[in-house]
């Protein structure tokens, strides 16, 4: 391979890894932003806080940053060691993604049931009306109230998920965030001039509550965006394949460049016309 081909591969590979480095930095920044702008959502899954969106984005950002670092160093310093490390990391990442994707597809039913169980467990054991948490660490109660108001849903599977939880044992109540806005405070007429106020959450009338479950809405949201998930997966697979092929081409080129007897021909600063032997004649002669 000539010097022009080697230079083209090297520049393309270096530019590719700079792009990956920038994307990794963006993912890391998004993860940090989510940690401070939308904190506390990990408390919805108390035993699986690492599955929160901010942790996933930061993990992807760090992995991309590290892989791109070895790729850029291998290309810039023409280091076969860095290129081998880069190739190994990309292969391991690809195998991990394939394994996790396969397991998630095979056990998709069990994973869904596990998520529903964890969300219900968080409602039953960790929901506390009086505990609203702080700015950077909101409580389970404040997170669930925000989710139900914004998504207009009630409970994980149904409003009955709120019955007999630790916050109100033995009661068939729901949070106020389950109530439709116009039924937030009902006025019930009593005997005589008696007027007593009753919350919708204690009325026991399902028609006053949001008629959809939060789990159902989240599932519909995900299904409607499956094409986006598939497109992202194909793009990631293509980028990884390109990185593998280009790194091996660069590795083989560097190896050939260092082992070839015509090594000096790759350097533009060496005048190959002076390649003469001790007798003063050209070697080609």
């Amino acid at each position: 391979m000539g010097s022009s081909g080697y230079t083209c591969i090297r520049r393309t590979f270096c530019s590719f890894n700079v792009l990956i480095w920038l994307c990794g930095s963006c993912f890391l920044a998004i993860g940090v932003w989510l940690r401070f702008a939308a904190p506390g959502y990990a408390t919805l899954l108390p035993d699986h806080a690492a599955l929160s969106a901010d942790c996933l984005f930061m993990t992807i950002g760090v992995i991309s940053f590290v892989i791109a670092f070895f790729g850029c160093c291998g290309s810039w310093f023409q280091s076969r060691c860095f290129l081998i490390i880069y190739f190994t990391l990309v292969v391991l990442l690809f195998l991990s993604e394939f394994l996790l994707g396969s397991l998630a597809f095979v056990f998709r039913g069990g994973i869904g049931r596990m998520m529903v169980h964890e969300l219900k467990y968080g409602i039953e054991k960790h929901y506390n009306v009086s505990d609203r948490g702080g700015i950077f660490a909101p409580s389970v109660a404040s997170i669930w109230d925000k989710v139900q108001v914004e998504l207009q849903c009630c409970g994980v599977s149904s409003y009955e998920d709120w019955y007999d939880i630790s916050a109100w044992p033995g009661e068939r109540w729901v949070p106020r965030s389950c109530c439709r806005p116009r039924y937030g405070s009902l006025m019930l007429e009593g005997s005589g001039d008696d007027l007593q106020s009753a919350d919708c959450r204690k009325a026991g009338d399902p028609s006053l509550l949001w008629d959809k479950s939060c789990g159902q809405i989240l599932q519909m949201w995900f299904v409607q965006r499956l094409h986006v998930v598939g497109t992202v997966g194909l793009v990631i697979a293509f980028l990884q394949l390109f990185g593998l092929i280009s790194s091996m081409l660069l590795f083989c080129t560097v190896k050939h460049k260092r082992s070839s007897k015509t090594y000096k021909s790759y350097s533009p600063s060496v005048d190959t016309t002076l390649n003469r032997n001790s007798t003063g004649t050209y070697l080609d002669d």
Side-chain angles (χ1 to χ4, degrees):
M1 182 180 294
S3 59
S4 60
Y6 169 76
T7 303
C8 180
I9 294 176
R10 183 183 175 189
R11 288 179 177 177
T12 303
F13 184 70
C14 188
S15 301
F16 169 76
N17 283 281
V18 169
L19 178 62
I20 297 298
W21 181 82
L22 292 175
C23 292
S25 300
C26 291
F27 275 108
L28 185 60
I30 292 173
V32 174
W33 176 78
L34 286 175
R35 173 59 61 91
F36 291 100
Y41 281 89
T43 57
L44 297 180
L45 298 172
D47 296 332
H48 298 84
L51 297 178
S52 59
D54 53 349
C55 292
L56 292 178
F57 272 103
M58 286 190 288
T59 301
I60 294 173
V62 171
I63 292 175
S64 302
F65 190 90
V66 172
I67 292 177
F69 169 80
F70 284 106
C72 289
C73 289
S75 174
W76 183 262
F77 298 109
Q78 304 178 42
S79 171
R80 295 174 61 194
C81 179
F82 280 139
L83 290 174
I84 285 294
I85 295 175
Y86 174 87
F87 183 86
T88 304
L89 290 176
V90 175
V91 169
L92 290 177
L93 180 62
F94 180 81
L95 292 177
S96 300
E97 292 171 351
F98 179 78
L99 179 61
L100 291 176
S102 301
L103 291 176
F105 178 78
V106 173
F107 299 103
R108 59 189 182 277
I111 293 175
R113 288 190 295 270
M114 182 271 294
M115 296 289 288
V116 170
H117 173 74
E118 284 295 315
L119 290 171
K120 289 182 178 180
Y121 178 80
I123 286 176
E124 182 181 355
K125 300 297 183 182
H126 297 276
Y127 189 91
N128 188 348
V129 180
S130 60
D131 180 17
R132 309 308 295 179
I135 299 178
F136 297 107
S139 65
V140 174
S142 60
I143 292 296
W144 264 111
D145 290 340
K146 183 178 180 181
V147 168
Q148 293 187 142
V149 170
E150 292 182 352
L151 298 182
Q152 298 183 356
C153 59
C154 183
V156 181
S157 302
S158 70
Y159 60 88
E160 294 182 355
D161 295 335
W162 294 104
Y163 289 177
D164 193 24
I165 64 175
S166 59
W168 41 75
E171 301 291 346
R172 298 170 64 87
W173 296 347
V174 297
R176 191 181 299 275
S177 55
C178 281
C179 299
R180 299 174 186 268
R182 61 181 180 273
Y183 301 126
S185 179
L186 293 179
M187 297 299 294
L188 301 181
E189 197 170 323
S191 58
D193 295 333
D194 248 350
L195 288 178
Q196 56 180 354
S197 173
D199 288 336
C200 150
R201 66 190 191 94
K202 299 180 182 180
D205 186 355
S207 63
L208 307 180
L209 311 176
W210 299 117
D211 56 353
K212 292 183 179 180
S213 65
C214 298
Q216 179 185 2
I217 292 179
L218 291 176
Q219 184 179 6
M220 291 175 57
W221 180 90
F222 182 76
V223 169
Q224 292 172 354
R225 289 160 178 80
L226 277 179
H227 64 284
V228 178
V229 177
T231 303
V232 172
L234 289 176
V235 170
I236 292 175
F238 174 78
L239 292 176
Q240 290 175 341
L241 181 62
F242 178 82
L244 290 175
I245 295 175
S246 57
S247 64
M248 287 308 299
L249 285 175
L250 188 60
F251 175 84
C252 295
T253 307
V254 171
K255 179 180 179 180
H256 173 74
K257 180 179 176 181
R258 291 186 174 181
S259 61
S260 177
K261 294 181 180 179
T262 59
Y263 173 77
K264 291 183 179 181
S265 64
Y266 287 95
S267 176
S269 62
V270 177
D271 187 1
T272 57
T273 61
L274 299 179
N275 189 19
R276 289 179 286 183
N277 60 14
S278 57
T279 61
T281 60
Y282 286 95
L283 290 178
D284 294 334
D285 296 337

